[in-house]
Amino acid sequence: MNGKNQKAAAALQRACAGLKVVTEPSVLESHGRDWTRFRAPRPAAVAFPESVSQVQQLVAAAAAAEIALVPSGGRTGLSGGAVAADGEVVVSFDRMRRVLDFNRVDRTLTVEAGVVTATVQERAAAEGLYYPVSFAAEGSSQIGGNIATNAGGIRVLRYGLTRDQVAGLKVVTGRGEVLECNRGLIKNASGYDLRHLFTGSEGTLGLIVEATLRLTDPPPPSKVLLLGVDSMDALMKVFATLRARLDLSAFEFFTDRALHHVRVGQGLPPPLDASCPLYVIVELDCPTEWQEEAAMDCFESCAERGWLLDGVISQSDRQIAELWRYREGISESISHFPPYKNDLSVTVSRVPEFLRRMDRLIGEICPEFEVVWYGHIGDGNLHMNILKPADLGLETFESRCHEISERTYALTRDIGGSISAEHGIGLLKQPWLDRVRSAEEIGFMRGIKQVFDPAGIFNPGKLL
Ligand code: S2G
Ligand code: ZN
């Protein structure tokens, strides 16, 4: 570790009595990164604060010594937002994992930032309530990181994003102050709602240390349909038909190539007799026979119109879990390539046009690459994963993908979409922020950062 890094670690250790600061190479490696593999982790140290006051001392010392801080939660990020590639100090929330309060009347749970998403879900269920944000990484991701990236997941269609569950936030600003935002109120018309500034700020405006989360009623018994369709146009007609008549909580899609990889990765049998170009996972409320009959009726009418090639409806909770594996297992099943990810969003109505134009573009500029698509049709969020060919070096592959991204983002902008739907801009997408945000908007974002992080120590190089 070079002298500058040693100085940083020592300065923080001196300034913050009792703060655990680690420079052990294996910890620098594990905690200096997230799930992305395109940048080598090179943090100066990893700090493990145990309390809000330790975070305050750490931030004040870092600001005074101009030491950059990279907040790190479950390290499941997909845009390099938690990668420390340039001698920064990682601030890990692994030691701030307390559930601080549950309020039955307010139906809120207050937790420290390092609490794992699945723990929040389990605690809500233990109280007979439900925390609705759910995605494949929920067993490792932490609430602080979910809020910093405004994580979405598979049930945004009904419950919205993490932003919609945040009733209150406690944040340490770049001056080492503690901001209590909204305090769990449902209504609060007392000026700008700063809670929403910090949500999705990717650790660039402040360090989220505690959150008050809104819990909701658990869903009624549900059913899951796995359907095979032969085109995006047919898929969208099925979506419109089911959404009009059934209470959907999820409407996810994946291609035949995604199915191939998840079957290999998870050792799954074919889900249907027919092999189809596209598949859909639909989750719906099905508390009584009436909804089940309505679902079967929709299924049959879509099949009669030729929109469905095949399909299956769950008959048990076990089968629900099995069917979800076809969708939830995709990310992990392709992670070894590794994939170059684009997490794109367009308005739902323009999904077919977007995918048609993207298919043409990919055929034109990179027919040699395998591209795997899956995502959340219900909120217009499409995950485009270019798989690295085994015989291509990572750097060459990444630079080819950058060329593809130039054209992808131009198309996305042309169709009014975003180059990041739920994974954030982080490090990897930062060079293209100006493709979808205007110079004025970026100017205002920089101004806001200057107010909250005057020393510029929070996650430099990420997002802005
Ligand atoms: C999903 C998870 C990460 C990925 O599966 O919906 O958001 O692989 C993704 O893109
Ligand atoms: Zn997703």
Side-chain angles (χ1 to χ4, degrees):
M1 197 174 66
N2 65 40
K4 178 172 169 274
N5 291 356
Q6 277 163 340
K7 266 175 60 188
L12 294 181
Q13 191 71 80
R14 269 196 311 276
C16 316
L19 173 68
K20 184 180 176 193
V21 179
V22 174
T23 54
E24 158 69 33
S26 63
V27 174
L28 296 183
E29 163 80 19
S30 62
H31 282 67
R33 64 183 342 153
D34 55 18
W35 269 0
T36 56
R37 289 295 176 266
F38 292 101
R39 293 291 177 282
R42 285 196 191 84
V46 182
F48 293 89
E50 294 173 349
S51 65
V52 174
S53 59
Q54 275 199 346
V55 174
Q56 286 183 271
Q57 289 168 24
L58 171 57
V59 167
E66 293 183 346
I67 294 169
L69 300 178
V70 173
S72 170
R75 295 171 278 135
T76 59
L78 294 157
S79 302
V83 169
D86 191 21
E88 307 94 331
V89 169
V90 171
V91 182
S92 167
F93 289 92
D94 284 357
R95 296 166 76 102
M96 291 181 70
R97 294 196 164 200
R98 290 176 300 158
V99 175
L100 300 172
D101 179 51
F102 167 67
N103 187 305
R104 183 165 298 286
V105 174
D106 296 329
R107 294 158 65 113
T108 56
L109 192 68
T110 301
V111 296
E112 289 187 314
V115 170
V116 170
T117 313
T119 304
V120 170
Q121 294 165 347
E122 288 151 15
R123 180 62 191 272
E127 303 291 353
L129 293 170
Y130 184 62
Y131 181 70
V133 177
S134 175
F135 43 82
E138 65 195 13
S140 312
S141 67
Q142 294 177 7
I143 281 297
N146 292 174
I147 295 168
T149 58
N150 190 22
I154 56 176
R155 297 190 176 93
V156 169
L157 178 62
R158 169 179 292 173
Y159 297 103
L161 293 120
T162 295
R163 178 183 305 284
D164 303 295
Q165 324 308 328
V166 175
L169 270 189
K170 187 180 281 186
V171 181
V172 175
T173 71
R175 288 192 181 84
E177 301 148 337
V178 174
L179 277 189
E180 296 241 21
C181 304
N182 200 57
R183 290 188 173 82
L185 293 169
I186 293 170
K187 290 186 172 178
N188 180 5
S190 62
Y192 306 140
D193 191 336
L194 299 182
R195 159 183 55 151
H196 291 308
L197 262 184
F198 291 110
T199 302
S201 62
E202 299 189 55
T204 61
L205 298 181
L207 301 185
I208 294 166
V209 288
E210 290 175 17
T212 297
L213 301 167
R214 212 166 288 296
L215 305 180
T216 186
D217 290 313
S222 57
K223 289 266 184 196
V224 166
L225 305 172
L226 193 153
L227 309 172
V229 296
D230 68 0
S231 73
M232 275 316 287
D233 288 329
L235 184 149
M236 296 306 284
K237 290 183 177 107
V238 170
F239 178 50
T241 305
L242 270 57
R243 188 165 60 164
R245 291 187 53 195
L246 305 171
D247 290 326
L248 304 186
S249 49
F251 193 96
E252 299 283 306
F253 96 109
F254 52 93
T255 61
D256 53 351
R257 292 308 300 162
L259 176 64
H260 163 78
H261 290 293
V262 77
R263 284 194 52 209
V264 169
Q266 308 279 316
L268 296 171
L272 304 173
D273 295 336
S275 47
C276 313
L278 293 167
Y279 294 86
V280 168
I281 290 257
V282 190
E283 182 181 74
L284 58 118
D285 290 353
C286 213
T288 70
E289 302 234 320
W290 182 85
Q291 282 86 354
E292 182 156 2
E293 281 160 22
M296 291 313 295
D297 187 51
C298 280
F299 182 97
E300 275 140 30
S301 76
C302 290
E304 279 154 23
R305 288 180 171 80
W307 299 338
L308 286 183
L309 299 173
D310 197 350
V312 66
I313 185 167
S314 62
Q315 296 304 323
S316 66
D317 285 350
R318 189 174 59 79
Q319 197 181 6
I320 286 178
E322 280 170 8
L323 291 174
W324 267 118
R325 283 184 65 197
Y326 287 98
R327 168 64 182 85
E328 298 257 80
I330 298 170
S331 183
E332 184 193 332
S333 303
I334 60 173
S335 60
H336 66 280
F337 277 92
Y340 180 91
K341 291 177 175 295
N342 267 320
D343 160 40
L344 307 164
S345 57
V346 298
T347 52
V348 177
S349 59
R350 303 198 71 173
V351 164
E353 173 198 354
F354 180 65
L355 284 175
R356 251 196 314 278
R357 290 172 65 181
M358 277 306 301
D359 272 352
R360 261 202 312 277
L361 179 64
I362 289 163
E364 176 203 322
I365 63 174
C366 59
E368 76 279 17
F369 284 154
E370 181 181 359
V371 181
V372 173
W373 289 92
Y374 51 94
H376 322 272
I377 292 293
D379 33 277
N381 180 187
L382 309 161
H383 294 305
M384 170 190 177
N385 286 252
I386 307 172
L387 306 188
K388 187 184 83 63
D391 59 353
L392 197 59
L394 191 61
E395 277 179 32
T396 315
F397 173 63
E398 190 184 17
S399 61
R400 278 285 289 121
C401 289
H402 285 173
E403 291 161 19
I404 298 164
S405 289
E406 284 293 349
R407 300 283 301 275
T408 301
Y409 299 157
L411 199 170
T412 304
R413 179 194 177 116
D414 180 56
I415 211 164
S418 175
I419 66 169
S420 180
E422 59 180 2
H423 297 167
I425 294 292
L427 193 60
L428 302 184
K429 303 300 182 230
Q430 196 283 325
W432 290 282
L433 180 65
D434 62 1
R435 302 308 196 278
V436 282
R437 304 302 294 270
S438 69
E440 292 76 18
E441 283 184 299
I442 295 173
F444 282 121
M445 288 198 267
R446 289 193 187 286
I448 290 167
K449 177 161 171 83
Q450 183 57 37
V451 168
F452 285 104
D453 177 21
I457 58 170
F458 288 150
N459 234 356
K462 312 305 181 13
L463 175 53
L464 291 175

